[in-house]
């Protein structure tokens, strides 16, 4: 029976279970205007509506019809996980529908949900690749087969569809598949047929969500089983699929970045729902290890093209940064769960950094072209290999995991922005709109990230008791001020929160002013790839140079003059309206060293000719690769 | 009919054709003692004798028996080019036999040559993978099939076998296969069945050698055809297999490094044999582009694990340097051909650097373990993936291209050391032994590279006319002296040669003294990966730090103090006897920055605590990874 989403429980990802031990619970946010709303409008107006057509041309929908027996022909697509493109699109469409009805989108969703339901086998199994290409052979290739991964995305789409629309058609499919999986998989001694895990985690966090949506504890237990069987050699003990070491014992993230991060999102979910201290401490330890040693400045994750892997600690290359868009999304999902679990602001610091940089660069400004990998440098003379790993935006990928993943995150973005607890409301991310936690309603207006002022007005409040409005003071911010009535604050607590406890009245105002002075950032000296370089940042935005703004030579000879001040220039005409940072630099004149580019350090240290002065225009990184092809740099040499 | 190799024509790779337009011709060198002889003894005493057993256990010989119909079972090995492991071993064994008979080795060679001959099909075709796995389907997958690549290595083995022993059994097989290829492949309009090229070049340079060995011009023409059909889209236009642009138009090396380099060796061969100026100038241009923009300090080539590719210009990562051992070998082969073609010393400068560093690191000191990739850095906390691309030495590889390639180069090394022309003798590389060019015989004694003194004595000379003894003054050497009778020289010509023209008498002595002061080397500032770092070099040797010599902490916190002098310490006990360079350094104490490793450049620039002083011991790079596993660094931060 259709239900309407409750205003109390936002129709978004993560609706915590009744026994959850989270410090915070997601709060409802209506995003009304501003930076993210404009990205969401492109998502809603262009990216999502184009999805069905792209899924049709790529053959994903055709495969479902084949499996249902309503079409004839060959399976299309190169991977056993092509169904997930459909599921992720459905999830995106569901979160979109939660924000407002659209007859056209509903029709697309209904049509595709029917295709999915028709493709399901009578016992609940569903995977078009194995049904059509592998002759129905199941669960024989858990390392590469992605069957449980696909199930996970089906479940997430179904949960979204149910939460957003109250409808059960897709949830029924998902429950049936989950029950099938639960009947097949289990630990030794359970009497189940297979003791196994999926090479590509995803089903784990999805099963926790299914538990939350249905109240069925079996799904939570199954998720816990899958998580804990990683690291016991069921998949050959490979780090690639997090099978080298159990997650409770691991000391750093490793292997395929997206797999690792989805698994850790599930670890956070499990720690939240079960209160297990060992899982929580593993998640905290691994998050700290990842941020301190394996995270790019953009929040991007994954250092190797080969195997899409994390690299060694501090191995953070620029031109070969992998930083898969999906890894940024998975990182946001994990970090947000950690923020809820622990209540600590640093997790939302990483969410912010990743949203504005490593994630958002994955989609073009027009919402029609994508990046699968997100390098921090493209060299002069770059020969692009094309294909999915291209440093040039692409209309769709052979492995099209990223585009619908971007769509679902943007469509459900309002659910990562704020939380509530019994003491009040916590604002994690600043947008123009309305934040709601129970009776508490706060309206915000801001031109963030172009401007650092956020004006907050209490619109709803229990008047009989004090509560705390908590503002996250971003980790990047060295200088801020909060005005609340007659009082002013300029220091946050050590945990990154500024807490204002009051008995509030409707109309009370708080103004947060974050200094948006552009700044130069350097890395830990163990990050060899950026030694002798700095990056330009402003607010939450990492900036970069693009070739197109610097005619007359390449970027690889550019040197930033750190002795000269940085200037800020808002450019409403540029890239949909961006604030650029203007810096002084020069183009190095490297003396001709003949055929060998290495020379005595004495010679190399000798002063070079001064080089031609160049005005450097640093655009926000998220907006790169939206004009003509060329080189790009985030990190700039200082000599 | 068996022939005995002539003393005039050394039984080594590259015996130029009668019309060759080379500036120089290979001269005969007998290596008697010293650095390279000790490596060759390990090669002759351990590596080569172990080859047949390894080829037996890996299944390569079994595959030949299967193809001959003298064994039963399954094809073994994962690649269509497994036959080349056999051919490269045969080539190694042949060059070894050229230096002295060995009944045991001869028996192995005879046995394996018979296996190869028996596996050949009646029309000359030979490739066990396609005969056994692909049902005899031929030349349908030129991009990945490697059939012509295999043919190339067969031809090279056959030429070596013939040159070294005078025997024709293997040459007959090769000629038959080459004739078959010639009957199948040709340009449009030639009436041949296929207009095609091989995805993995090798057959081109091999066919030039076959022309040289047999005098049959058809093979030279076929080589020219294969070279020139690259870059015309016959293989989809991919840079990976040098099909993006014709070699005559290319402006930099690109794609799979080994493929590119074998192709360019053939370009040099063709330019030499045909005198074609356009091919010569392409080879010169590409060599210059490669050395200036895509060569690691060790001479290693190939920047990407992914696709084993060259990277973009100046993209020269340390920890992910690919630097396949085979690429170093191919580079030596190409550069030596360029040295002969042009007479220019810089090509032999690169040969020397590559031999002593990027190449020699590929084999362990005991000759039993190998590196396929040769990184310039292994980080603290490195998680090794194992497999062929491991940074730890391996007994044999799934793709075992490198080990027998090392064996063949070491076994034939004496052919890359010196040349002659009508004016005299040119010594390209310094070894203890005897250099012979026609009537000219010069004996050399040296402890190079540990010591920079080379004592040369004229043993044979035409007494009636002057001739020139040319000594290559290595590009790395800033300071040298040559004493010849009463005269002393300390400047070479601009082209790197020091030329001593005399009417020589037997017993005349020349002493070359190259300064072996250790030195610090810096890179072109466009090599981002090593900004702010220097490398320690001494003579032709690149040095590195290994964890095992620096207990008490990792290597990633080490800073070299460039203000303190470098010291030299010969260590006969260490790694078979090496000269180490001892430097002053400290271990950085990086302040705890919390969870985020990036901070304001002002903070980062603030002086750090001084750090604990550490004595740094830099061993020659070629000797790394011969003790316990650990981190390693070539490039050292200076602050």
């Amino acid at each position: 029976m259709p239900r309407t989403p409750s205003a109390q429980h936002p129709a978004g990802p993560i609706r915590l279970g009744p026994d959850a031990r989270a410090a915070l619970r997601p709060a409802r946010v209506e995003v009304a205007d501003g930076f993210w709303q404009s990205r969401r409008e492109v998502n809603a107006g262009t990216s999502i509506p184009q999805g069905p057509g792209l899924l049709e041309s790529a053959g994903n929908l055709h495969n479902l019809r084949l499996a249902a027996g309503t079409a004839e022909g060959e399976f299309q697509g190169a991977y056993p996980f092509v169904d997930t493109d459909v599921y992720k699109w459905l999830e995106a469409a569901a979160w979109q529908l939660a924000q407002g009805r659209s007859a056209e989108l509903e029709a697309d969703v209904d049509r595709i949900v029917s295709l999915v339901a028709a493709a399901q086998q009578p016992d609940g199994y569903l995977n078009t690749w194995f049904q059509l290409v592998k002759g129905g052979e199941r669960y024989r290739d858990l390392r590469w087969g992605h069957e449980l991964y696909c199930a996970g995305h089906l479940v997430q789409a179904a949960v979204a569809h149910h939460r957003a629309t109250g409808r059960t058609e897709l949830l029924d499919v998902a429950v049936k598949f989950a029950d099938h999986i639960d009947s097949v998989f289990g630990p030794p001694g359970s009497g189940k047929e297979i003791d196994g895990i999926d090479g590509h985690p995803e089903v784990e966090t999805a099963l926790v969500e299914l538990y939350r949506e249905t109240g069925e504890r079996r799904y939570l237990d199954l998720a816990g089983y899958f998580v804990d069987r990683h690291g016991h050699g069921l998949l050959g003990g490979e780090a690639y699929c997090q099978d080298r070491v159990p997650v409770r014992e691991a000391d750093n993230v490793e292997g395929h970045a997206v797999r690792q991060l989805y698994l850790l999102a599930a670890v956070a979910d499990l720690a939240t729902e079960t209160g297990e201290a060992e899982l929580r401490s593993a998640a905290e330890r691994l998050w700290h290890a990842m941020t301190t040693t394996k995270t790019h400045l953009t929040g991007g994750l994954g250092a190797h093209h080969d195997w899409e892997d994390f690299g060694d600690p501090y191995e953070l290359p620029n031109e070969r940064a992998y930083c898969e868009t999906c890894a940024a999304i998975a990182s946001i999902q994990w970090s947000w769960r950690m923020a809820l679990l622990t209540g600590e602001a640093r997790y939302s610091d990483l969410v912010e950094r990743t949203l504005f940089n490593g994630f958002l660069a994955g989609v073009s400004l027009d919402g029609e072209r994508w990046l699968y990998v997100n390098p921090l440098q493209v060299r002069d003379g770059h020969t692009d290999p094309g294909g999915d790993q291209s440093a040039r935006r692409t209309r769709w990928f052979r492995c099209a995991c990223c585009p619908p993943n971007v769509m679902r995150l943007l469509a459900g973005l309002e659910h990562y922005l704020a939380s509530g607890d019994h003491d009040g409301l916590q604002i994690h991310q600043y947008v123009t709109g309305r934040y709601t936690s129970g009776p508490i309603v706060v309206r915000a207006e801001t031109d963030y990230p172009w401007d650092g002022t956020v004006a907050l007005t209490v619109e709803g409040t229990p008047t009989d008791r004090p509560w705390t409005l908590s503002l996250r003071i971003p980790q990047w911010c060295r200088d801020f001020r909060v005005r609340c009535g007659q009082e002013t604050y300029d220091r946050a607590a050590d945990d990154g929160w500024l807490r204002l406890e009051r008995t509030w009245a409707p109309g009370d105002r708080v103004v947060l002013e974050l200094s948006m002075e552009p700044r130069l950032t350097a890395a830990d000296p163990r990050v060899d790839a950026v030694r002798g370089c700095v990056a330009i940042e402003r607010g939450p935005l990492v900036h970069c140079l693009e070739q197109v703004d610097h005619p007359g030579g390449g970027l690889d000879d550019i040197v930033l003059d750190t002795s000269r001040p940085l200037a800020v220039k808002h450019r409403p005409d540029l890239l949909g309206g961006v604030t650029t940072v203007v810096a002084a630099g020069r183009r190095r004149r490297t003396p001709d060293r003949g055929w060998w580019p290495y020379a005595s350090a004495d010679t190399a240290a000798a002063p070079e000719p001064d080089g031609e002065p160049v005005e450097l225009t640093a655009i926000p990184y998220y907006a790169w690769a939206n004009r003509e092809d060329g080189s790009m740099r985030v990190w700039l040499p200082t000599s």
Side-chain angles (χ1 to χ4, degrees), chain A:
Chain A
M1 187 175 58
R3 303 185 311 187
T4 15
S6 125
Q8 281 299 90
H9 295 288
I14 312 185
R15 180 182 296 173
L16 301 184
D19 306 323
R21 315 289 176 82
L24 311 174
R25 290 184 169 256
R28 182 175 184 78
V29 183
E30 294 148 275
V31 187
D33 199 0
F35 183 88
W36 284 111
Q37 190 53 17
S38 75
R39 306 313 313 144
R40 281 152 60 81
E41 281 163 12
V42 170
N43 191 50
T46 300
S47 306
I48 292 178
Q50 290 184 355
L54 290 158
L55 294 169
E56 195 65 80
S57 10
N60 307 65
L61 302 182
H62 165 79
N63 295 337
L64 290 167
R65 285 188 208 102
L66 282 187
T70 58
E72 291 190 350
E74 296 283 308
F75 182 90
Q76 287 177 37
Y79 298 103
F81 49 82
V82 290
D83 294 347
T84 56
D85 303 343
V86 179
Y87 302 149
K88 282 190 262 187
W89 181 85
L90 279 173
E91 187 184 338
W95 300 138
Q96 196 58 46
L97 288 176
Q99 291 161 57
R101 302 196 61 153
S102 148
E104 208 170 339
L105 185 57
E106 277 175 51
D108 277 337
V109 168
D110 289 351
R111 182 168 60 88
I112 295 176
V113 165
S114 303
L115 289 179
V116 171
Q120 186 169 38
Q121 299 202 311
D123 64 357
Y125 182 88
L126 175 49
N127 181 300
T128 61
W129 169 272
F130 282 90
Q131 290 169 229
L132 298 165
V133 179
K134 290 291 182 177
E137 187 178 85
R138 297 172 177 181
Y139 307 131
R140 302 271 177 82
D141 181 12
L142 292 170
R143 195 182 286 173
W144 298 110
H146 290 79
E147 287 156 288
L148 301 179
Y149 169 75
C150 291
H153 277 298
L154 169 62
V155 166
Q156 294 204 334
V159 167
H161 188 236
H162 185 246
R163 274 189 201 151
T165 66
R167 288 176 54 178
T168 57
E169 294 93 331
L170 196 59
L171 189 63
D172 291 343
V173 175
V175 163
K176 201 167 161 186
F177 197 178
D179 288 344
H180 171 73
I181 292 167
D182 189 38
S183 76
V184 170
F185 287 88
S190 64
K192 306 289 178 70
E193 184 190 334
I194 304 175
D195 177 30
I197 53 172
D198 199 68
H200 198 313
E202 171 64 32
V203 73
E204 302 81 359
T205 188
L207 284 168
V208 177
E209 281 295 288
L210 191 61
Y211 152 71
R212 290 166 175 160
E213 195 64 10
T214 63
E216 177 59 73
R217 174 90 197 184
R218 272 188 304 124
Y219 304 136
L220 183 66
D221 296 339
L222 187 57
Y225 157 74
F226 281 136
V227 164
D228 273 328
R229 290 301 280 157
H230 273 270
H232 296 280
L234 294 179
L235 300 181
E238 286 178 12
Y240 173 72
C241 42
Q242 291 73 49
D243 194 36
R244 191 181 67 85
V245 59
V247 68
R248 292 165 193 263
E249 296 163 25
D251 59 11
N252 208 333
V253 293
E254 67 179 22
H256 186 275
V258 178
R259 294 170 194 234
Q260 173 71 88
L261 295 163
Y262 281 151
L263 184 67
L264 288 167
V267 171
D269 275 333
L270 283 162
T272 303
E273 296 298 340
T274 66
E276 260 204 84
E278 198 180 48
L279 279 180
R280 173 173 168 155
S281 104
E284 289 174 331
R285 180 176 71 244
L286 290 166
W287 193 89
H288 187 82
M290 175 182 86
T291 55
T292 48
T293 68
K294 299 195 178 183
T295 307
H296 285 85
L297 185 66
T298 55
L301 294 160
H304 293 173
H305 277 235
D306 212 35
W307 298 103
E308 308 188 315
D309 264 5
F310 281 107
D312 285 331
Y314 303 105
E315 183 190 345
L316 294 162
N318 293 304
E319 69 276 55
R320 296 291 280 181
Y322 200 68
C323 297
E324 182 180 338
T325 304
C326 285
I329 293 166
S331 165
I332 291 165
Q333 293 179 331
W334 178 29
S335 292
W336 176 239
R337 285 161 171 78
M338 295 301 290
L340 296 178
L341 172 61
T342 64
E344 292 168 19
R346 63 173 183 269
Y347 297 107
S348 289
D349 282 326
L350 186 65
V351 167
E352 174 176 63
R353 178 170 288 275
T354 308
L355 277 173
F356 276 107
N357 303 287
F359 161 74
L360 192 56
V363 55
S364 65
L365 296 177
D366 63 10
E368 294 192 326
R369 287 170 311 129
W370 312 88
L371 285 174
Y372 186 117
V373 302
N374 293 279
L376 277 72
Q377 177 180 12
V378 175
R379 286 175 185 276
D380 299 333
H382 172 66
T383 304
D384 198 84
D388 289 2
Q389 276 76 47
S390 173
R392 312 302 184 196
R393 293 191 186 277
T394 304
R395 188 77 179 87
W396 202 245
F397 302 113
R398 217 167 102 92
C399 172
C401 51
C402 300
N405 216 353
V406 171
M407 294 178 206
R408 71 176 180 136
L409 188 71
L410 280 175
L413 184 71
E414 67 272 30
H415 307 290
Y416 295 87
L417 308 181
S419 62
D421 63 2
H422 60 281
D423 281 336
L425 172 74
Q426 302 84 37
I427 301 186
H428 297 246
Q429 310 296 343
Y430 299 104
V431 296
T432 291
R434 189 169 274 106
Y435 298 80
T436 305
S437 174
I440 299 169
V441 182
V442 172
R443 198 180 75 237
E445 280 174 64
T446 182
D447 196 22
Y448 194 80
W450 309 127
D451 184 84
T453 302
V454 184
L456 300 160
T457 309
V458 175
E459 290 195 339
T461 175
T463 47
D464 58 339
R465 59 174 177 88
W467 56 272
T468 304
L469 175 63
S470 298
L471 305 179
R472 183 180 61 86
I473 304 304
Q475 178 268 350
W476 57 259
C477 186
R478 289 177 286 185
D479 184 17
F480 74 94
R481 192 167 52 162
V482 173
R483 281 176 289 133
C484 178
Q486 299 308 311
E487 287 164 80
T488 300
Y489 305 86
D490 59 7
R491 287 202 57 182
D494 285 347
D495 66 1
W497 289 109
L498 183 98
R499 295 185 177 87
L500 301 168
E501 190 187 358
R502 298 278 189 289
T503 301
W504 299 89
D508 280 354
R509 300 227 338 142
V510 175
V511 178
L512 167 65
E513 288 173 310
L514 300 164
S515 165
M516 286 293 190
E517 278 303 300
R519 59 194 193 275
L520 297 179
T521 300
D524 184 298
R526 287 165 288 196
V527 184
D528 296 280
V530 303
R531 193 182 312 288
C533 293
V534 297
I536 296 173
E537 298 189 285
R538 180 172 179 270
L541 296 172
V542 175
H543 283 244
C544 69
L545 306 187
E546 268 199 309
Q547 175 66 71
V548 63
D549 296 313
H550 303 87
L555 294 185
D556 291 352
D557 286 315
I558 293 280
V559 173
L560 179 74
D561 183 348
T562 54
S563 70
R564 303 270 298 282
L566 301 172
V568 167
K569 193 168 179 182
H570 192 69
R571 294 273 299 274
D573 57 309
L574 188 67
L575 295 162
V578 292
T579 298
T580 62
V581 178
V582 179
R586 59 181 172 85
R587 273 220 175 76
R588 203 190 292 117
R589 292 200 194 111
T590 305
D592 184 2
R593 294 177 173 186
W595 62 272
W596 191 238
Y598 306 96
S600 162
D602 306 339
T603 318
E608 289 167 7
D610 257 0
E612 172 202 356
V614 187
E615 185 182 89
L616 306 179
T617 296
I619 62 162
Y621 172 76
Y622 78 80
W624 87 280
N626 279 285
R627 293 173 292 172
E628 63 193 68
D629 287 345
S631 42
M632 181 273 290
R633 289 189 80 108
V634 168
W635 291 96
L636 309 174
T638 59
S639 67

